[in-house]
Amino acid sequence: MDFRGKKYERGSNWSDPEVVELLQLWADESVQIELESCLRNQHVFNRIAEVLREKGIHRTGDQCREKIKKMKLEYRRIKDNSKTPRGGRTWKFYEVMDRVLTSRPALAYGSLSSSMMAQQVLQGSMVESYHHQFASSTLPFGHSQHPELMEIKCEEVNSDGHSLTPEPPQAMSYQQGSPEEQEMERAFLERAQNDSPISRVEIPIETSVSPSGFSEPNMANSSQIQNVVPRPGFSALHRLRKKRKGQRMRDPLDDLLLKTLTSQRAMEERFLQMEERRFQRDLDAEERRMQLEQRRFELEREHEFRMFNVFAQMLSILKQSHSGSSSSVAMPRGLDFSQALSEIEGMGGRGGNLQEMRVRPLAKRRVDVYGFCNPSGFQRSPYLSARGNFASIFQGSSEEGYKAYHADKYDEDKNPNGIINFGTSENKLCFDLMSKRLTQADMNVIDPPLLQYPDWKGHLFLREEVARFLTYYCKAPAPLKAENVIVLNGCGSLFSALATVLCDPGEAVLIATPFYGGITQSVFLYGNVKLVYVYLDSKITGTNTRPFQLTVEKLEKALQDARAEGVTVRALILLNPQNPLGDIYSLSELRDYLEFAKRHELHVIVDEIYMLSVFDESATFHSVLGMDRLPDPQRTHVMWGITKDFAVSGIRFGTLYTENQDVANAVASLCYFHGVCGPVQHKVAQLLRDRDWINQVYLRANHARLKAAHTYVTDELKTLGVPFLNRNAGFFVWIDFRKYLKTGTFEEELLLWKRFLDNKVLLSCGKAFECSEPGWFRIIFADKTHRLQLGMQRIRKVLEEREQEILAEEKEQPCQSDQDGKADSTDEVIFVSRHQEPTCASSSSLGDLIGLLQQQMRSSDWLQKNTAEQFAQEKPEIYDVFSKLVGKQ
């Protein structure tokens, strides 16, 4: 390829053959002497570039010089650190650079004429060596042409300022009368006539090596120059030269150049320190990855051991049965029943507590949860109604933890030992952006209409802006209408209003668990509407391709069970993105859910409050409003608010879009109790109107910060070996702490939650989301880095203590098998399947062991990885013996 005439930038890429040619020219002894004897060496590299061009390598002198400087920097970094580059591979040019830079003698000047002689030698030997010694590009680096070479001196002076002139060594003697000296004196006078500092004679006296490999002259001070005593026989010319050199040493530009060289050396050292820190971070990350891999390997080995243990117990029971002992064969237990449900039940005349634990079949739990079966049975306050009494004692773990957090809130300066809140779903990463935007001049407007009663649906200018906003971000196929928009003070009020206008007291809505627990208070406590749960689990089967997957079959079954119990279901609630799972429903899934609701004439309430909080480009959010055709538009109602997406949970603002005017008018009549004040409506309209700021500033920063915080928390969980659902939406991670529960009950889950709270970190346990499996927790990661770091340290401490306790208990009970399942991971989820193993083989029935074995097989791909064919190939001798034994039986 012909590169002639092409302008190259400094530091362009070099191929290995080009570097070989450059090193062969640069490593020549005469070239090294010339480079060491002068401060400005551009002409040397220009001549090297000319020789390279004759060889077909078209480079400029600047490019040659920059390449040599970079190679010296790399050489010094490796030599100073005594390390090889990352990956264990040595630098291919290290030996050549080491031979050139370390095996040369120091240059000594017996007289001033020797410098001139070196320059004369260079003038003649440079070109000769170019054309004779390095005519072939195939010479090895270790050739004998440069056994002893001096260290290079490549400082570049790009400006026209003065350069630093070193002091002549004190031990130098001068001889008069020789022809060489007279010729030198004439040359010196000619050079002295030019005031440019470039023409000064450079006589280095000692050098110090910088981290990059450059030789920097150490300058003597002016007092040393003055102490030099003139020797007898010095000519007037020598005294004149000494006087001029003393004047030059006082030149301020010399001090400036010295400071520049010092700064360059400091920057090089700083660069090497940064490189060291980067390498250390890479090593730490690699070590953490290895720890995670080791943990996964250990879990896999434990899982194999448990499976073989179950096989051994089964064989033992079969052997006993064959010898005449009787054993009962029962169906696997625990398949159709779940853990106990905390339910408030009247103790009235009997007195005692207001709560008791009861175990109910799953079918019954689905339908009469949170229903008023016997309100008069509660122990009531004489000042409250039955509903008021029930509301006063309705308090879950989330409310308890929230109160404790506000009583002892963490503050970096005032209360560093306070509670860190990882339980409340708030975005605390963008307060700086929102406070700046909400205090600008266009926000601070107080007009008379804003201080008066508005239209109960909301001011028209706000509803028009909401319609345009949703049309744009939901990708609606047609512009949405302002008349279909209703504004309330938060999505909680919208849930309450919709439950009131869509359902009669005692009727129900369908919702999949786990789900955001605040919906219970909004729908049940406020509107006396039941919730029918569609229980989801973490197991992956043929129909479930991911943990906690919602399918139409599960919706159908829950609906039929509710109707069999006589419960009327009026609506279906969908959360997209889902809280606390973080799932994003695909278009096909949404269409299936809506078709299911249409078949059964159910209203669909779709909560899309995390619509703009999908922080990874690999995940795509699909809004119901963006569908080309809704199966039943008159029964489809979409909710959205600014609380989550714009990090302003303190501003209560939610909006409902529905094409059913009857529903819109009914909800609007309740806006009298849930309205938004006029100044807030103006601010929200201005915020939603500023599309450029939202797209270019806010969303970019918000998504980047959410992704960084999510990555930090999930990396910490991987290091701990804790399974979790890996999703890219919302502010939360759904974590599996089941291996830290010894018995796997909700009571033990609550104890673990309280233990986190005692260690000053607030999480949300699975019971608060009506999860069917004890041990799942939700953690909020949308927080500042220092709080995330401190909070994860406290979580790590609790988990390590709990793990030690479980190990100690297992040592006391050697017959008890450990309960940790195998950590199975895919591209989207890491989860553990839990089970309760029997204490001893003798107390277990064959049915129990079969069910346990089936559970183990479903939770692992061990059988797929370890087939009989693979075993036959790996160990044919053992396989033959086993086959013969099976054949005899």
Side-chain angles (χ1 to χ4, degrees):
M1 181 176 180
D2 189 7
F3 296 94
R4 297 180 184 275
K6 183 175 180 181
K7 182 180 180 181
Y8 281 83
E9 299 292 338
R10 293 173 62 183
S12 59
N13 294 330
W14 289 68
S15 64
D16 288 348
E18 293 175 343
V19 176
V20 170
E21 293 291 343
L22 176 64
L23 286 176
Q24 288 176 341
L25 297 178
W26 171 77
D28 183 69
E29 182 178 3
S30 60
V31 176
Q32 288 293 314
I33 293 175
E34 184 173 6
L35 288 172
E36 183 63 25
S37 63
C38 61
L39 180 61
R40 288 188 173 269
N41 46 34
Q42 183 62 44
H43 61 284
V44 180
F45 287 100
N46 288 340
R47 291 203 300 274
I48 292 176
E50 291 177 2
V51 178
L52 289 178
R53 280 194 291 272
E54 293 178 0
K55 296 177 177 290
I57 302 173
H58 301 280
R59 302 286 180 174
T60 64
D62 284 339
Q63 291 176 341
C64 296
R65 181 176 56 191
E66 289 299 318
K67 184 61 180 178
I68 292 297
K69 290 173 67 176
K70 290 181 180 178
M71 296 182 69
K72 289 181 64 181
L73 179 62
E74 179 67 14
Y75 164 76
R76 283 299 176 186
R77 184 185 66 78
I78 298 175
K79 189 173 183 66
D80 293 345
N81 297 334
S82 299
K83 295 181 181 179
T84 58
R86 187 181 177 189
R89 296 172 299 179
T90 58
W91 187 36
K92 64 182 69 175
F93 302 114
Y94 178 83
E95 295 181 359
V96 180
M97 299 296 294
D98 186 66
R99 185 180 299 110
V100 174
L101 296 179
T102 60
S103 62
R104 61 191 181 191
L107 182 63
Y109 292 87
S111 64
L112 193 62
S113 62
S114 61
S115 173
M116 296 302 298
M117 290 175 64
Q119 294 184 8
Q120 292 171 2
V121 169
L122 288 174
Q123 299 296 330
S125 63
M126 181 74 174
V127 178
E128 181 181 357
S129 62
Y130 285 165
H131 290 283
H132 294 280
Q133 295 181 8
F134 304 104
S136 174
S137 61
T138 60
L139 290 176
F141 292 141
H143 58 79
S144 60
Q145 299 295 333
H146 46 278
E148 298 288 330
L149 294 176
M150 289 196 58
E151 184 174 349
I152 191 168
K153 179 178 180 183
C154 276
E155 287 85 0
E156 179 186 359
V157 182
N158 294 324
S159 63
D160 293 333
H162 297 281
S163 60
L164 191 62
T165 304
E167 177 192 10
Q170 299 180 7
M172 182 179 293
S173 61
Y174 299 92
Q175 303 293 334
Q176 286 186 348
S178 64
E180 291 83 4
E181 183 177 355
Q182 294 175 3
E183 182 180 356
M184 183 273 297
E185 289 176 354
R186 287 194 298 272
F188 179 83
L189 288 177
E190 293 176 358
R191 293 164 64 94
Q193 292 176 1
N194 188 3
D195 291 334
S196 174
I198 300 176
S199 62
R200 302 170 187 171
V201 176
E202 302 297 333
I203 307 177
I205 54 177
E206 60 180 9
T207 60
S208 62
V209 180
S210 68
S212 64
F214 299 141
S215 298
E216 178 182 338
N218 296 325
M219 306 306 299
N221 54 32
S222 58
S223 61
Q224 292 175 327
I225 297 177
Q226 295 173 1
N227 292 332
V228 176
V229 180
R231 299 177 181 271
F234 273 14
S235 64
L237 178 61
H238 287 285
R239 290 193 294 272
L240 176 62
R241 181 170 66 246
K242 181 177 178 182
K243 181 178 180 181
R244 290 178 62 85
K245 288 179 66 64
Q247 292 176 353
R248 293 195 193 102
M249 286 298 297
R250 292 190 295 270
D251 197 329
L253 291 182
D254 292 342
D255 295 334
L256 178 60
L257 182 57
L258 180 60
K259 292 179 180 179
T260 303
L261 295 175
T262 305
S263 300
Q264 180 185 3
R265 180 174 181 176
M267 286 188 294
E268 293 167 358
E269 293 176 350
R270 176 62 176 168
F271 173 75
L272 291 178
Q273 293 174 2
M274 293 174 65
E275 284 293 306
E276 281 295 317
R277 285 198 293 269
R278 184 178 68 83
F279 287 143
Q280 187 63 38
R281 285 197 301 268
D282 293 342
L283 290 176
D284 293 341
E286 184 68 17
E287 182 178 357
R288 291 170 62 184
R289 188 189 67 81
M290 295 299 296
Q291 292 176 357
L292 179 59
E293 290 296 327
Q294 181 66 22
R295 175 61 177 169
R296 289 180 175 176
F297 176 76
E298 292 174 357
L299 290 174
E300 185 175 356
R301 299 294 296 176
E302 292 172 3
H303 188 274
E304 294 178 4
F305 174 76
R306 280 194 301 274
M307 292 187 68
F308 283 118
N309 187 29
V310 173
F311 274 118
Q313 295 182 39
M314 292 174 63
L315 292 174
S316 176
I317 293 177
L318 291 174
K319 183 177 181 181
Q320 294 175 6
S321 174
H322 183 71
S323 63
S325 61
S326 61
S327 62
S328 61
V329 179
M331 295 298 294
R333 294 196 298 257
L335 297 180
D336 296 328
F337 297 86
S338 60
Q339 296 295 337
L341 171 68
S342 297
E343 183 178 9
I344 298 176
E345 210 175 67
M347 303 293 289
R350 302 191 305 270
N353 296 328
L354 292 175
Q355 299 184 4
E356 68 176 0
M357 301 298 297
R358 301 204 315 172
V359 179
R360 286 182 170 236
L362 183 62
K364 293 183 179 180
R365 286 184 57 198
R366 292 180 189 275
V367 296
D368 61 358
V369 174
Y370 300 131
F372 285 122
C373 300
N374 185 18
S376 60
F378 294 111
Q379 185 177 355
R380 294 182 291 177
S381 167
Y383 305 104
L384 297 176
S385 64
R387 186 166 55 180
N389 277 280
F390 190 85
S392 66
I393 61 176
F394 186 87
Q395 177 177 323
S397 62
S398 58
E399 291 295 329
E400 179 184 350
Y402 198 60
K403 289 182 179 179
Y405 164 69
H406 279 283
D408 187 17
K409 187 182 298 186
Y410 169 83
D411 186 271
E412 187 176 2
D413 300 321
K414 300 178 181 179
N415 189 21
N417 295 322
I419 297 175
I420 296 178
N421 187 2
F422 287 166
T424 306
S425 184
E426 292 182 299
N427 186 352
K428 301 176 183 177
L429 297 172
C430 295
F431 291 157
D432 55 337
L433 300 176
M434 292 305 303
S435 60
K436 181 179 180 181
R437 182 65 188 92
L438 293 176
T439 55
Q440 292 181 357
D442 62 326
M443 293 288 183
N444 301 322
V445 176
I446 302 296
D447 289 335
L450 301 179
L451 304 178
Q452 299 173 346
Y453 287 123
D455 181 348
W456 295 126
K457 292 184 177 181
H459 283 291
L460 180 59
F461 67 85
L462 173 60
R463 290 188 285 123
E464 291 176 345
E465 202 57 52
V466 169
R468 286 191 288 267
F469 179 88
L470 294 178
T471 301
Y472 178 79
Y473 286 102
C474 294
K475 297 181 173 64
L480 303 180
K481 300 178 182 179
E483 62 187 22
N484 297 332
V485 176
I486 302 99
V487 175
L488 275 76
N489 59 342
C491 289
S493 299
L494 282 171
F495 273 119
S496 301
L498 286 171
T500 301
V501 303
L502 298 180
C503 305
D504 290 328
E507 295 181 340
V509 296
L510 202 62
I511 188 169
T513 69
F515 65 91
Y516 167 58
I519 297 177
T520 302
Q521 298 177 352
S522 302
V523 173
F524 171 66
L525 283 182
Y526 196 97
N528 194 13
V529 175
K530 298 178 182 179
L531 293 172
V532 176
Y533 297 156
V534 183
Y535 285 99
L536 309 179
D537 55 54
S538 62
K539 297 180 178 63
I540 294 181
T541 61
T543 57
N544 294 340
T545 59
R546 65 176 185 269
F548 300 102
Q549 183 176 3
L550 177 62
T551 61
V552 174
E553 290 76 12
K554 296 176 183 178
L555 291 173
E556 291 279 3
K557 187 177 186 308
L559 180 62
Q560 296 304 324
D561 290 344
R563 289 178 175 176
E565 294 290 333
V567 177
T568 302
V569 179
R570 293 291 187 185
L572 167 65
I573 295 177
L574 295 175
L575 310 178
N576 186 33
Q578 213 276 351
N579 179 9
L581 303 178
D583 280 335
I584 303 174
Y585 296 133
S586 63
L587 276 177
S588 60
E589 289 177 323
L590 288 174
R591 189 172 291 106
D592 291 340
Y593 304 150
L594 296 179
E595 291 288 352
F596 158 80
K598 182 181 180 181
R599 287 196 303 271
H600 297 283
E601 296 184 351
L602 299 179
H603 291 270
V604 182
I605 304 171
V606 186
D607 181 6
E608 298 182 352
I609 197 169
Y610 293 98
M611 174 179 65
L612 299 182
S613 297
V614 180
F615 51 83
D616 198 308
E617 296 179 355
S618 62
T620 304
F621 170 77
H622 300 284
S623 172
V624 170
L625 296 177
M627 299 177 65
D628 295 334
R629 182 187 62 83
L630 292 174
D632 192 354
Q634 292 298 311
R635 287 190 174 91
T636 304
H637 322 291
V638 182
M639 298 165 45
W640 178 80
I642 66 172
T643 302
K644 310 297 183 181
D645 286 339
F646 285 97
V648 285
S649 54
I651 298 179
R652 308 303 300 151
F653 176 86
T655 181
L656 172 69
Y657 188 87
T658 177
E659 296 184 9
N660 190 320
Q661 289 303 310
D662 293 337
V663 175
N665 294 331
V667 172
S669 65
L670 299 178
C671 291
Y672 177 83
F673 310 104
H674 306 289
V676 181
C677 65
V680 172
Q681 292 194 40
H682 172 77
K683 286 180 178 290
V684 173
Q686 290 295 107
L687 178 66
L688 301 182
R689 186 179 295 116
D690 195 353
R691 202 75 52 79
D692 291 337
W693 179 82
I694 293 174
N695 293 332
Q696 303 300 326
V697 179
Y698 178 77
L699 289 182
R700 287 186 178 182
N702 186 35
H703 291 170
R705 296 175 185 181
L706 286 174
K707 187 173 182 179
H710 178 269
T711 301
Y712 172 78
V713 171
T714 53
D715 285 347
E716 289 294 318
L717 294 175
K718 292 176 183 177
T719 302
L720 291 171
V722 176
F724 61 93
L725 264 67
N726 192 9
R727 301 293 188 263
N728 300 312
F731 313 147
F732 29 77
V733 178
W734 191 236
I735 308 176
D736 183 3
F737 285 152
R738 290 181 292 176
K739 68 179 180 179
Y740 299 101
L741 306 184
K742 184 66 176 177
T743 59
T745 61
F746 284 107
E747 291 85 353
E748 198 173 6
E749 176 189 89
L750 183 60
L751 292 176
L752 182 60
W753 173 84
K754 289 183 177 178
R755 192 160 184 171
F756 283 124
L757 190 62
D758 292 339
N759 283 268
K760 301 304 179 69
V761 60
L762 174 61
L763 301 179
S764 298
C765 59
K767 185 60 182 175
F769 304 96
E770 293 300 330
C771 183
S772 62
E773 300 176 358
W776 290 86
F777 282 71
R778 187 190 73 173
I779 183 173
I780 303 300
F781 62 83
D783 210 333
K784 294 296 184 180
T785 303
H786 66 279
R787 284 194 290 268
L788 288 178
Q789 293 175 344
L790 181 57
M792 292 305 297
Q793 290 176 5
R794 296 176 179 178
I795 292 174
R796 179 190 293 268
K797 177 183 176 183
V798 172
L799 297 181
E800 290 177 349
E801 292 176 353
R802 181 58 185 155
E803 192 170 11
Q804 293 298 324
E805 293 173 0
I806 293 176
L807 291 176
E809 293 175 3
E810 291 176 351
K811 290 181 180 179
E812 296 176 359
Q813 301 176 356
C815 188
Q816 177 89 18
S817 300
D818 62 7
Q819 300 175 4
D820 291 343
K822 175 184 178 296
D824 185 17
S825 63
T826 65
D827 57 343
E828 64 177 8
V829 60
I830 303 175
F831 72 97
V832 172
S833 178
R834 292 299 304 267
H835 59 277
Q836 178 69 31
E837 293 187 0
T839 56
C840 294
S842 60
S843 62
S844 304
S845 66
L846 184 60
D848 294 331
L849 295 175
I850 292 174
L852 182 59
L853 182 60
Q854 290 175 344
Q855 200 174 41
Q856 287 292 315
M857 292 169 62
R858 286 194 298 267
S859 65
S860 171
D861 58 353
W862 185 85
L863 292 178
Q864 285 76 17
K865 293 180 179 178
N866 299 272
T867 61
E869 293 79 7
Q870 181 181 357
F871 182 76
Q873 294 177 359
E874 294 178 353
K875 300 178 179 180
E877 299 85 1
I878 301 177
Y879 180 77
D880 292 340
V881 175
F882 179 78
S883 300
K884 292 178 181 179
L885 290 175
V886 173
K888 291 181 179 180
Q889 295 179 355

